[in-house]
Amino acid sequence: MFCNQCEQTAKGIGCDKIGVCGKKADVAALQDLTVYALRGLALTALKKGDSSNNLGHFTAKMLFTTLTNVNFTPEDFQKFINEIVAHRKALDVHFASGPGNFEPAETLEGLIAQGEAHSIKNFDTDDDIRSAKQLLLYGMKGLCAYADHAAVLGQQDSSVYHFIYTGLAAGYDEQDRDLQAWLGLCLKCGEVNLRAMELLDTANTGTFGHPVPTEVPLGHVPGKAILVSGHDLQDLYLLLKQTEGTGINIYTHGEMLPCHAYPELKKFEHFYGHFGTAWQNQHKEFPEFPGAILFTTNCIQKPQEVYKDNVFTTGLVGWPGLTHIGPAKDFTPVIERALAQPGFTDTADKGSVLCGFGHNTVMSVADKVIEGVKAGSIRHFFLVGGCDGAKPGRNYYTEFVEQAPEDTVILTLACGKFRFFDKKLGDIGGIPRLLDIGQCNDAYSAIQIAIALAGAFECGVNELPLSLILSWYEQKAVVILLTLLSLGITDIRLGPSLPAFISPNILNILVDNYDIKPISTPEEDLKAILG
């Protein structure tokens, strides 16, 4: 196997025996084959002129399954690959060779062998072209995650799906592309992702209301319990509905924390608080949770035996041996497991954190923000966010926030915030110094806040007293970076390490054109930014 799509890839080069995420060689091969099969479907859809949202959403879902920490079940990928090919053949367009003519093997072993023949190692012999192709593919995996989240709640745009087809078909569509053309596709991916994130924002806020500032308990109360991880608001809502009157309290984990701020979710009295921190701490935290655990989207790790029987998956998430809740979303098995577990028997007050500062909330106090900047009480804004992970070096983000001067405001989103989410930083003129914008899925909010502030100050985003200090782990972070670059945003600090799939020449291009910098130390970076 070979996989280098995440930040923690082995030796900073690539996982070649087993993924640091727990992905085995058979699943790695099947994921590569899923991508290859999707290229054939994309070529066919483009040639047929198919613009149906059903096929587009299916394509996005299938590419989403190959994103880090989503699905680890070989049999699922066998089913996915056969479904992809069936959809391709239903379009009744024929190709003489290549992915448009791909025939899947009948056995799982045969599919694995086919996948090994289509490894990403074989993308190109030119290092820079291969790097650009990988940047595009990984960006599209993130794009497809956001497109799927939006489509689940009924928000779709056929132009998003058309680009997904175009990106997947690239390299097999008989068009010669030089390095600039490939990088142009990468930036287009970022541009299209902004539309996908806009759809997702509309879907979430249109369904569940605009987030409002909310104090979320970090402790627990007596009672049976279910812990919900991942990103999916609709799954959480359905679970809340099905657990009404059961005596079960619902807790969030990881990226689900911001769900407490949505009015339509806040209405449930048994939606209590938040348990644990970021995804990589599951093995340490989950043995302490006395109830059932539900994964709704990516972020699952190999469950330990001590709590494995308590874990359930739904949506695109899969792990061998776990009970999966299908499309009907009947969470009865999860509920029954929670009722059979001891639950919490005491009350624990572990403080609280404040969330709910989406673009609607922040812009409602924009006049105070602008006044604070003009009066000099707010010197600078830092967006410190992104993915968290287990690799050393991420304490940088904690120390950066701790050392940021008291006349600065910290905006944050995604699970990177769990390095400092419970810090009490005070406020400036009634505006909290730590503003939790939401999930990684809410990056659109951060962009809208920046654009609105730039409009208020009659300047460009790059001229604002705003610095982006980003951490990355998986492919949604990759496509958010592409979105920022497509908007012309410069001077981004990225860490804790640079992507292994970025060649030295591609990195030089990003540095020269966008002034991207690797993080150094909090002291040095703060001095460089603030002077």
Side-chain angles (χ1 to χ4, degrees):
M1 69 174 285
F2 182 81
C3 181
N4 63 357
Q5 69 179 9
C6 88
E7 189 267 337
Q8 290 181 189
T9 196
K11 300 177 183 178
I13 299 172
C15 297
D16 57 5
K17 293 182 176 63
I18 187 171
V20 292
C21 63
K23 179 168 63 178
K24 295 181 180 179
D26 56 351
V27 172
L30 291 166
Q31 289 184 351
D32 286 343
L33 190 61
T34 300
V35 172
Y36 185 73
L38 284 169
R39 294 188 188 282
L41 177 58
L43 285 164
T44 305
L46 288 172
K47 191 168 183 180
K48 184 78 171 183
D50 188 284
S51 59
S52 69
N53 282 342
N54 286 341
L55 186 63
H57 184 202
F58 170 79
T59 303
K61 285 197 301 182
M62 292 298 97
L63 193 55
F64 186 9
T65 65
T66 69
L67 189 144
T68 301
N69 288 38
V70 177
N71 196 305
F72 296 80
T73 306
E75 292 76 13
D76 284 354
F77 285 100
Q78 183 177 27
K79 180 181 71 172
F80 297 156
I81 291 164
N82 285 321
E83 286 179 357
I84 293 165
V85 173
H87 277 288
R88 189 198 80 210
K89 290 183 176 180
L91 293 176
D92 196 28
V93 174
H94 303 283
F95 292 83
S97 60
N101 193 42
F102 165 65
E103 287 290 340
E106 294 183 1
T107 66
L108 193 56
E109 292 74 17
L111 290 172
I112 292 167
Q114 288 179 320
E116 290 169 348
H118 295 290
S119 166
I120 58 168
K121 287 191 296 186
N122 304 329
F123 260 20
D124 207 279
T125 55
D126 183 282
D127 287 347
D128 295 331
I129 296 293
R130 182 173 62 249
S131 178
K133 286 181 176 180
Q134 286 182 264
L135 181 58
L136 174 62
L137 174 61
Y138 300 155
M140 287 200 303
K141 289 186 179 190
L143 163 62
C144 285
Y146 293 130
D148 175 56
H149 291 319
V152 165
L153 291 174
Q155 291 292 324
Q156 302 185 78
D157 184 336
S158 59
S159 68
V160 172
Y161 298 139
H162 186 270
F163 174 77
I164 293 170
Y165 295 148
T166 301
L168 284 167
Y172 299 89
D173 55 2
E174 299 181 349
Q175 292 189 36
D176 290 328
R177 291 180 175 86
D178 60 12
L179 183 58
Q180 285 305 119
W182 280 106
L183 291 176
L185 272 178
C186 293
L187 291 177
K188 183 65 176 179
C189 180
E191 177 188 325
V192 173
N193 184 61
L194 183 64
R195 173 59 179 152
M197 290 195 299
E198 178 185 24
L199 291 169
L200 178 54
D201 180 77
T202 300
N204 284 339
T205 59
T207 306
F208 303 109
H210 282 281
V212 295
T214 302
E215 287 280 354
V216 184
L218 298 178
H220 57 257
V221 292
K224 305 293 185 178
I226 295 175
L227 186 62
V228 184
S229 194
H231 303 77
D232 197 282
L233 275 63
Q234 179 71 357
D235 284 339
L236 173 60
Y237 174 78
L238 295 173
L239 180 65
L240 286 166
K241 289 285 288 183
Q242 293 178 37
T243 50
E244 282 187 299
T246 62
I248 299 172
N249 292 315
I250 306 299
Y251 296 80
T252 54
H253 171 264
E255 287 263 48
M256 298 299 284
L257 168 62
C259 297
H260 290 275
Y262 286 88
E264 291 302 312
L265 300 176
K266 286 166 62 72
K267 290 180 179 179
F268 293 92
E269 293 182 0
H270 62 301
F271 188 27
Y272 180 71
H274 188 79
F275 177 92
T277 51
W279 66 272
Q280 78 277 3
N281 297 321
Q282 292 169 41
H283 290 169
K284 180 171 61 177
E285 296 170 348
F286 284 6
E288 304 300 320
F289 189 79
I293 301 166
L294 175 67
F295 277 93
T296 65
T297 58
N298 61 305
C299 290
I300 193 170
Q301 287 184 302
K302 180 181 180 180
Q304 293 180 332
E305 288 299 321
V306 66
Y307 65 83
K308 182 176 181 180
D309 292 342
N310 294 339
V311 180
F312 298 80
T313 61
T314 193
L316 300 176
V317 190
W319 191 281
L322 297 186
T323 299
H324 186 78
I325 306 300
K329 300 297 182 180
D330 179 358
F331 293 112
T332 300
V334 186
I335 295 169
E336 290 177 344
R337 185 65 184 176
L339 292 173
Q341 293 300 101
F344 290 108
T345 57
D346 63 344
T347 298
D349 183 358
K350 299 182 180 180
S352 64
V353 293
L354 188 61
C355 67
F357 291 93
H359 60 89
N360 195 61
T361 296
V362 173
M363 297 322 300
S364 71
V365 295
D367 55 339
K368 291 184 178 180
V369 173
I370 294 166
E371 181 184 329
V373 173
K374 290 182 176 179
S377 58
I378 299 177
R379 182 177 17 159
H380 206 85
F381 297 90
F382 294 105
L383 175 60
V384 185
C387 305
D388 202 4
K391 193 174 179 180
R394 292 181 180 268
N395 284 342
Y396 165 93
Y397 299 95
T398 310
E399 295 167 6
F400 187 98
V401 169
E402 290 175 337
Q403 294 178 31
E406 292 184 358
D407 58 356
T408 62
V409 173
I410 310 294
L411 306 170
T412 190
L413 50 74
C415 63
K417 65 171 164 271
F418 287 108
R419 294 278 165 173
F420 49 81
F421 79 129
D422 55 354
K423 302 291 181 185
K424 304 303 180 185
L425 303 183
D427 66 89
I428 301 175
I431 299 170
R433 284 193 57 228
L434 181 59
L435 300 175
D436 183 354
I437 296 172
Q439 299 180 338
C440 64
N441 295 8
D442 296 310
Y444 178 78
S445 260
I447 292 170
Q448 291 308 302
I449 290 168
I451 291 173
L453 287 175
F457 286 109
E458 298 182 348
C459 66
V461 171
N462 291 324
E463 298 169 282
L464 286 171
L466 168 68
S467 299
L468 277 62
I469 317 295
L470 304 182
S471 57
W472 80 285
Y473 175 74
E474 43 91 334
Q475 296 79 66
K476 285 189 280 188
V478 172
V479 79
I480 289 172
L481 178 62
L482 292 178
T483 297
L484 295 173
L485 300 184
S486 76
L487 291 168
I489 295 174
T490 61
D491 197 24
I492 298 168
R493 283 169 168 78
L494 182 66
S497 61
L498 296 175
F501 55 83
I502 295 291
S503 69
N505 191 38
I506 297 291
L507 179 59
N508 287 336
I509 291 172
L510 295 178
V511 170
D512 290 343
N513 292 341
Y514 300 99
D515 199 20
I516 285 183
K517 301 177 178 70
I519 60 172
S520 57
T521 68
E523 295 84 359
E524 291 172 355
D525 287 345
L526 281 166
K527 183 177 180 180
I529 294 167
L530 298 175

